[in-house]
Amino acid sequence: MKTLLTGGAGYIGSHTAVAMVDAGHDVAVVDNFANSSAEAIARVEKITGKKVALYEADVADKERMMEILKTEMPDCIIHFAGLKAVGESVAMPVEYYRNNIDTTLTLLECMRELGLTNIVFSSSATVYGEDNVPPFTEDAPKGMCTNPYGWTKWMQEQMLTDAAKASKAECDRLKATGKEAGANEWKAPLSVVLLRYFNPVGAHESGLIGEDPQGIPNNLMPYISQVAVGRRDHLTVFGDDYDTPDGTCRRDYIHVMDLAEGHVKAAEYAVENKGTEVINLGTGSPYSVLEMVEAFGRACGHAVAYEIGARRAGDVQDSWADAEKAKAVLGWQASRGIDEICRDAWNWQSHNPQGYKK
Ligand code: NAD
Ligand code: UD1
């Protein structure tokens, strides 16, 4: 199968590129390096021993995307490209809506014109909002998001779902009337898989690729890693007065290679099926902030310094997946636990203390 990964030089995209090549599929990557570098793809090639076609382009640039897609004509597009920092999205909503929504609309227009039909989308557990009680099942109502980033995911899910529905209706109508599809009509029904990720963490076991946040990390695991390697003094734990066994929030941390392998199954599924499927990619097992700090200390061989601070605005107390649908529909489940997560995150961080720069 030929796959095209938008945002494929990023954290999850680069790991998915490895998993795709390992599964015997061809990979092309489109990235504008807004939050990544070409070095990640050079390392993907080193790990796999295979060439990855790399295009530097903005996915919202329709002319350029038409050229690239005409060259590649992928069986499946995996759409990772997007801006993802929650706090930044509150400060820069216009940039977030412009980038995240435009990239998806551009892809849909190109796909319609070229008769490409299969797309897997990077959504987030953030769409469950604050009112659902975990474990979250895919049929739970989408909730109110607490920030513009979350709303972009919410909206992109809706846009893709509506496009899939319209493509089916249009194809049924054309079939009934015996007419040919015009330039702006769907040539075949769309197949959309909306993957709701829980908390992707860890790194490829080679230590060659991993998460490389710019500036001060917003997320827990890169922050812990940077404290462990001496780049930062201590972690601030955001609140220990939650209604949980140790008072800290619980999350469903999933090894990024498990997540990557989930994308291989999702892309294969998208090619075989039509319509829209929403699928959680999580482990189904929650861990608290303090449990993660302890596990990392075991992996790196010394305690990770932390202090307890105030709650962070917008945090939900508990979030974890019901992971049954992925098992039933994709035949996939996460197989790596928190000790492997911390081992691989430490391997990446300790060998690349400044990320891809050194
Ligand atoms: P990332 O920032 O490492 O990767 C995103 C990539 O998209 C980057 O390489 C960036 O340069 C590229 N990009 C952004 N806008 C682009 C554009 N207009 N054109 C071309 N390239 C563009 O992030 P990630 O953690 O790998 O996340 C991948 C996707 O998964 C994102 O859509 C993100 O919102 C989603 N997601 C991530 C998480 C997480 O915790 N990492 C959780 C849920 C969902
Ligand atoms: C956050 C985003 C979510 C996004 C996800 C991507 C918020 C409110 N939510 O989720 O929309 O999809 O990242 O991975 O930002 N923590 C600390 N100290 C830190 C950092 C984090 O105690 O320095 C705690 C948090 O309070 C939380 C847990 O660690 O309880 C995990 O935090 P994080 O890694 O930021 O992920 P989420 O909050 O789940």
Side-chain angles (χ1 to χ4, degrees), residues 7-13 30-36 57-60 79-84 99 103 122-124 149 153 197-200 211:
Y11 173 46
I12 302 170
V30 182
D31 206 301
N32 65 358
F33 306 124
N35 193 37
S36 57
D58 186 330
V59 178
H79 183 29
F80 296 103
L83 299 176
K84 64 159 187 177
N99 190 67
T103 51
S122 297
S123 189
S124 165
Y149 163 75
K153 292 294 170 195
Y197 311 156
F198 281 70
N199 289 62
E211 190 168 12

Side-chain angles (χ1 to χ4, degrees), residues 1 22 24 54 62 74 83 148-149 197 230 281 296 304 306:
M1 170 169 66
D22 284 350
L54 176 60
K62 186 169 173 194
L83 299 176
Y149 163 75
Y197 311 156
L281 292 185
F296 207 95
V304 175
Y306 71 88

Side-chain angles (χ1 to χ4, degrees), residues 86 124 126 146-147 149 198-200 218-221 223 235-238 249 251 253 289 312-315:
V86 171
S124 165
T126 197
T146 56
N147 56 78
Y149 163 75
F198 281 70
N199 289 62
N218 300 304
N219 299 116
L220 179 67
M221 281 298 278
Y223 207 107
L235 170 78
T236 300
V237 174
F238 295 144
C249 294
R251 295 286 184 274
Y253 296 97
V289 176
R312 178 172 68 178
D315 269 347

Side-chain angles (χ1 to χ4, degrees), residues 14 18 55 67-68 101 119 121 126 144-145 168 176 191 202 217 219 222 237 241 256-257 274 287 294 318 352:
S14 55
V18 171
Y55 299 90
E67 275 169 30
I68 294 168
I101 303 293
I119 182 163
F121 174 64
T126 197
M144 299 295 284
C145 297
K168 165 89 171 65
S191 172
N219 299 116
V237 174
D241 56 350
V256 67
M257 284 310 297
K274 293 294 159 209
Y287 288 95
E294 273 167 35
D318 285 322
N352 305 269

Side-chain angles (χ1 to χ4, degrees), residues 51-93:
K51 188 91 196 102
V52 169
L54 176 60
Y55 299 90
E56 181 172 356
D58 186 330
V59 178
D61 178 344
K62 186 169 173 194
E63 210 176 310
R64 192 79 177 93
M65 285 309 295
M66 283 294 284
E67 275 169 30
I68 294 168
L69 288 167
K70 272 185 197 159
T71 306
E72 293 293 331
M73 289 302 280
D75 300 298
C76 187
I77 295 172
I78 307 186
H79 183 29
F80 296 103
L83 299 176
K84 64 159 187 177
V86 171
E88 191 178 69
S89 79
V90 175
M92 300 166 58

Side-chain angles (χ1 to χ4, degrees), residues 255-272:
H255 195 296
V256 67
M257 284 310 297
D258 277 329
L259 193 79
E261 288 158 13
H263 285 75
V264 176
K265 297 288 185 193
E268 290 168 354
Y269 177 86
V271 169
E272 295 297 319

Side-chain angles (χ1 to χ4, degrees), residues 128-152:
Y128 288 113
E130 297 182 287
D131 297 328
N132 285 301
V133 176
F136 301 140
T137 52
E138 290 84 348
D139 57 4
K142 282 159 72 175
M144 299 295 284
C145 297
T146 56
N147 56 78
Y149 163 75
W151 283 118
T152 68

Side-chain angles (χ1 to χ4, degrees), residues 104-184:
T104 303
L105 289 175
T106 300
L107 280 178
L108 282 171
E109 286 180 359
C110 293
M111 290 174 76
R112 187 172 58 184
E113 281 176 43
L114 295 172
L116 298 169
T117 55
N118 307 313
I119 182 163
V120 174
F121 174 64
S122 297
S123 189
S124 165
T126 197
V127 302
Y128 288 113
E130 297 182 287
D131 297 328
N132 285 301
V133 176
F136 301 140
T137 52
E138 290 84 348
D139 57 4
K142 282 159 72 175
M144 299 295 284
C145 297
T146 56
N147 56 78
Y149 163 75
W151 283 118
T152 68
K153 292 294 170 195
W154 201 104
M155 290 175 193
Q156 287 171 95
E157 282 200 1
Q158 192 63 43
M159 285 159 36
L160 287 157
T161 304
D162 289 345
K165 203 165 145 193
S167 69
K168 165 89 171 65
E170 193 156 80
C171 290
D172 287 349
R173 187 176 50 77
L174 289 169
K175 201 168 163 191
T177 56
K179 287 190 181 147
E180 292 274 299
N184 286 333

